[in-house]
Every structure is written in C-alpha cells, then in structure tokens.
Amino acid sequence: MRMPPHRSDPDTQPGTDWHAQELLLMREVMKLVGRSLAPAFVLREMLHLMSELLGLNRGRMVLADEAVPGAERTASVRHAYGLTAEEAARGVFRWGEGITGRVLASGLPAIVQDVDAEPLFLFRTVARAQLPPQTVAFIALPIEVNGATVGVLGCHRIRSRQRHLNDDLALLRILATLAGQLLQLEQLVAEERRQLAARNEALEHALDVGSARYGLIGRSPALLQALGELERVSQSQATVLLLGESGTGKELFARAVHLASGRRDQPFIKVNCSAIPDTLFESELFGYERGAFTGASTARAGWFEQANSGTIFLDEIGELPLAMQSKLLRTLQEGTLVRLGGTREIRIDVRLVAATNRDLAREVQAGGFRQDLYYRLNVIPIRLPSLRERREDVRALALHFVSRANQAHQRNVNLAPDALARLEAHDWPGNIRELGNLIERLVLLADHTLVTAAALERFMPEALKDARPAPASAPIPPALPAAAGLVRDYQSATSHDAQTLQDALTRHQGNQSRAAQSLGLTLRQFSYRLRKAGLR
C-alpha cells in the first residue's frame, strides 16, 4: 500500500528546525553509504528520509533504460518512496517527454510551482485525484555520471510550506550529485567485475587450451605444437598418421582428432593391430558373412562398418600383415569394403587415424610395408613428443596421476617437491605410460602419505635411474635375480643384438616364449626385436 502523502509532513510540526533536519538527513545518508555501496539500498533510504524529514513526498529516481538500437531512448522509475508498485511501473518516459523527459534531454533542473497549471506535467505515475487537494509543486533535478545525464531525481511538495523552496532545491542538488556518484561507482564496480570475469574466462580457456586440452595434460612447446597441428587438420577428412615412441599418448591424440572434427558425435572405434592374430585380421576389420568359416553362424559387421560416419583408429599399424595391407589400401581409396565370404560391396565413410612407433619408411625399404599404403597413410604425419622432450610437463602429469590413483584406490598419497624434481630428472624411455604405472605403484605401496625423493628411489626400476658413476672404492653390488625386482626393467628396442636373440632361440629349441623370458623380455618385445634384426 502507498503511504498517505502527508503522513509525517514536518510542516505539521510547529517550530521545525529545518537546518537540524537537513543535517540529520545527510548524516543518515552518509551512514548508509558507509554501510553499503549498493546504490539501490542507499537511494531508496534517501527517498524515505526526504519524505519523513523534509516533506519531499513521492520521491523517485528515474534512470535511463538500456539503449536498444533503432528505438527511442527511455527512462523508468527504478527507486521510489510513497508510490505503489503499479504507479512506479507506469513511470516510463521518452527523452523530451513531459517534465521528466525534458530534464533528461536538457540536463537542466525543472521546478513546477503548480502541477495543475503546467500542461507538460503528465500525471503518469500518480493521478491528480491521489494527490493532496492543496497546490502541489514538483521538483526534478538531473542525475549525472561523467558529465552525461543518466537520470532524474524528482519529488512532490506542498507549495504553501514554511520551508523555502530554494532550501529544498539546494539540498536536492546535493542528493542528486551523491546519487550520480553512487551510480558511477556502481558502473566502475560492474566494469571491474566484467573485466575480472573476462580475465578469468581467458585464464580458464588458456588453462584448458594449454594444460588439459582433450584430456592431454601439459603446456610444453612440443606438446602445444603437436596440438596445434592436430587442430589445423581436424576439420579435414585427410588421414592422420601419429608417429612417436611407445607410451606418448597416441590414443588420446587420436581421440582428440575425432573430438575436434565434425564427426565428434559419431562413433570412435580403436583397434590395436598388434593384438589381433594374423588369421583374424580380415574378419575383425571388415566383418564376415554367415557361413564364411566354421562357426560363423551369423553375419557380423567389422570395425570399419561400425565406425561408419565416424573415426577409426588403427594403433600399431606397422603390425598389419602384408596381405591385409592391400585390402586396407583398397578400402581407403575406394571407400568400400567386402566382408569375408561376401560378394557385395558396402560403402563406408570413415576417417582413418593411424599410429605406429616404427619407422615405416625403413619398413618400406626392407619390404615389410607396402609403399603405396605408406604414402596413403602419410598424408598428415604428426610426431608426438617423448616425455624427455617435454620435461616441464612431468610435474603436472605426475600430480594428475597421483590424484587419479588416490581416488581409484581410496588413498591419500602426495609427492614432496624433491620427489617431483626427481621425477623430472628422468628420461622416461617408457614415456607417459611408464610414469603413470610408476605413480600407481607408488600410491599403492607407499608407507607414508608424503613421498620424498629418498622414499621414491625404491619404486624406480634400475634401468630408469640416472646413470651415476660409483666411487672408485665402492664395491659393485651383485646382480639381483629377475624375480627380485618389483617390475620388469624397461629395455630399449636395441637392447639385444641379433646374435643374442639367435642364441636364446637355439638354447630353447626355437620356443620364443622361453627365449624371451630368459632375456627378461615379453613375447611381443622379443618378436619385435626378431623382426628388426631380420630373423623373422
């Protein structure tokens, strides 16, 4: 409900000390400013005090609305005292419209001695019947911010009052100036917030771009260069060949190619060529029809068909048998495939991302890889950096793996600064995969929640520790049996020459599994070294 317009009019109180009332008003307003810089709260209370202490009733702050291109500028009642919600909602004025609109347009104050005698007075907010029967005056002063008029401070007063109109006008000038300063402060704070929000957004974007884009952790120049190349070609349909050492994150890069492309909502199929037996390659990649072989009771779509409209990632493509290489080449060139045991060509739309840690150019020269397929794959080669080429990322990766392992195993292990420095000093021949495995082992087996560099040493495989010359007087410790270590030592691809491999095979009558075990290798590692040595 709207208060009666003259409910506490000081004119009804004989002998009013107007100077004391003005001081009280200013003191209370400044208290409000000191308590809160929110203009809405201070301005509303200012209008309240104007009415209660000085009899300046139905006070309102008319502030400019947000500019709309092509539309007339308007201003609306934002803060009021003595007006109902419906009356305040009607208080919308165009620039130059009525008394309020003229003050907005000219920036000059306006004093209406008698609202009934002024044709420009619109009675838009309060109807004449709702005003006191006496002669009512209206005062409107501009509110300025940075020299521009942004609003109007207006109020009604009974003209026949004991207080001089000039005194009211002088005080209202002060209050209008204070209102402009509060609004200016609000604009400055809002602008600061916008700038901070934009800066935070930019920083978050920079962190996303530089530190964890597509789940790839790191900010090193080598990593960002590879990511930049990836994003530049992501929208094309060209085949991408990911090169680099084992454990550098080829699968994550392949998925990043998919996510950055227009196929992101379509299937992403990953195939590890080294894990498929030679006899099953064709049926796995291209599918088979019913009755194609014993046990084929139903037809099955291969990986290429399942990846239709999406992306297929062929990891370790260097392991693909020569017989399958020609069929893969035909599928890539023609965009069709024929299932095993079938006669019908099936059209597919698949983007290929391939990866290998082998030197395919050398394999082509040795006759182990088709030259035409190599050229078909080598359209967009992207080399992934090894971890020793991006040492500045080791710390972020290690902390990421620690956090993930802690969550997975309900542990609370942390790395001390010297332990992180120790990890950064390693070359990591097994790259990110090896670092992640070591961190998981450390989280599971650590005796204390804080792992120092000294405590870290026992988790580091011997082959990974820095080569440090032993003192001349220090005895050489005896070699431990293979089973004594926590993990199998990492061995480089050139760790065994051809003669060593051949001797191991001879000792175990050609049994590759036992020969590999005797040399501390997995069967896959042993087979790979045999191929590199030309023994297979």
Side-chain angles (χ1 to χ4, degrees), residues 96-343:
E97 182 185 24
I99 299 299
T100 301
R102 289 205 169 189
V103 174
L104 287 167
S106 66
L108 299 174
I111 302 173
V112 178
Q113 297 284 358
D114 183 356
V115 295
D116 294 319
E118 175 55 64
L120 289 177
F121 195 81
L122 304 176
F123 295 102
R124 178 161 292 172
T125 54
V126 183
R128 182 63 184 91
Q130 300 297 321
L131 296 175
Q134 300 100 318
T135 301
V136 176
F138 180 73
I139 306 174
L141 286 94
I143 299 173
E144 296 183 349
V145 173
N146 294 326
T149 302
V150 300
V152 172
L153 168 60
C155 63
H156 290 122
R157 77 187 292 273
I158 303 300
R159 194 175 69 176
S160 56
R161 299 179 63 217
Q162 298 176 5
R163 177 175 164 82
H164 292 297
L165 179 63
N166 285 340
D167 292 339
D168 285 344
L169 188 61
L171 180 67
L172 288 171
R173 286 183 188 276
I174 296 174
L175 296 179
T177 301
L178 178 60
Q181 292 174 342
L182 288 173
L183 293 172
Q184 182 178 10
L185 181 61
E186 182 184 42
Q187 287 183 3
L188 292 173
V189 171
E191 181 61 27
E192 284 288 333
R193 286 176 177 169
R194 280 194 295 270
Q195 291 180 3
L196 285 173
R199 194 176 306 162
N200 288 338
E201 184 179 356
L203 287 173
E204 289 175 3
H205 178 69
L207 288 174
D208 289 341
V209 168
S211 179
R213 209 174 347 171
Y214 309 112
L216 295 162
I217 307 296
R219 306 182 193 177
S220 63
L223 176 66
L224 294 181
Q225 179 182 346
L227 277 171
E229 294 174 359
L230 178 152
E231 290 186 328
R232 283 195 294 274
V233 303
S234 60
Q235 295 300 321
S236 71
Q237 303 304 314
T239 299
V240 176
L241 179 62
L242 302 177
L243 305 171
E245 298 177 8
S246 179
T248 51
K250 297 187 188 71
E251 182 179 333
L252 278 177
F253 266 85
R255 191 176 292 277
V257 173
H258 176 70
L259 293 176
S261 72
R263 299 171 180 260
R264 66 180 65 88
D265 296 325
Q266 301 302 320
F268 174 78
I269 302 295
K270 54 183 181 179
V271 181
N272 188 343
C273 296
S274 64
I276 302 176
D278 291 359
T279 55
L280 297 181
F281 261 111
E282 184 172 3
S283 60
E284 289 293 313
L285 292 181
F286 304 113
Y288 54 82
E289 298 289 355
R290 179 180 179 183
F293 51 84
T294 303
S297 56
T298 59
R300 174 186 175 275
W303 295 122
F304 270 90
E305 279 187 76
Q306 294 181 40
N308 192 33
S309 300
T311 305
I312 188 168
F313 171 49
L314 297 183
D315 194 11
E316 303 289 357
I317 198 169
E319 304 288 336
L320 204 63
L322 281 171
M324 284 304 303
Q325 292 178 23
S326 59
K327 190 162 187 177
L328 173 61
L329 177 63
R330 179 177 177 275
T331 296
L332 295 178
Q333 289 178 337
E334 299 182 9
T336 61
L337 60 83
V338 178
R339 291 179 179 177
L340 180 64
T343 57

Side-chain angles (χ1 to χ4, degrees), residues 365-397:
Q365 293 178 354
F369 203 84
R370 290 182 62 102
Q371 186 178 44
D372 46 6
L373 178 58
Y374 170 69
Y375 290 135
R376 185 66 179 78
L377 296 175
N378 199 41
V379 178
I380 307 291
I382 298 178
R383 181 182 172 276
L384 309 190
S386 63
L387 196 50
R388 62 183 171 276
E389 297 175 87
R390 37 182 295 217
R391 291 183 188 274
E392 56 266 58
D393 293 339
V394 171
R395 186 178 297 260
L397 285 164

Side-chain angles (χ1 to χ4, degrees), residues 49 71 75 89 95 150 213 241 326 328 380 410 421 458 489 494 499:
L49 293 169
W95 244 246
V150 300
R213 209 174 347 171
L241 179 62
S326 59
L328 173 61
I380 307 291
Q410 300 298 305
R458 74 184 184 93
D489 290 351
T494 58
Q499 187 59 49

Side-chain angles (χ1 to χ4, degrees), residues 32 38-50 59 61 78-81:
L32 295 171
F41 171 72
V42 177
L43 296 179
R44 279 195 297 269
E45 289 302 309
M46 181 191 296
L47 297 172
H48 176 201
L49 293 169
M50 284 167 48
M61 295 276 181
R78 301 289 179 81
H79 313 291
Y81 182 78

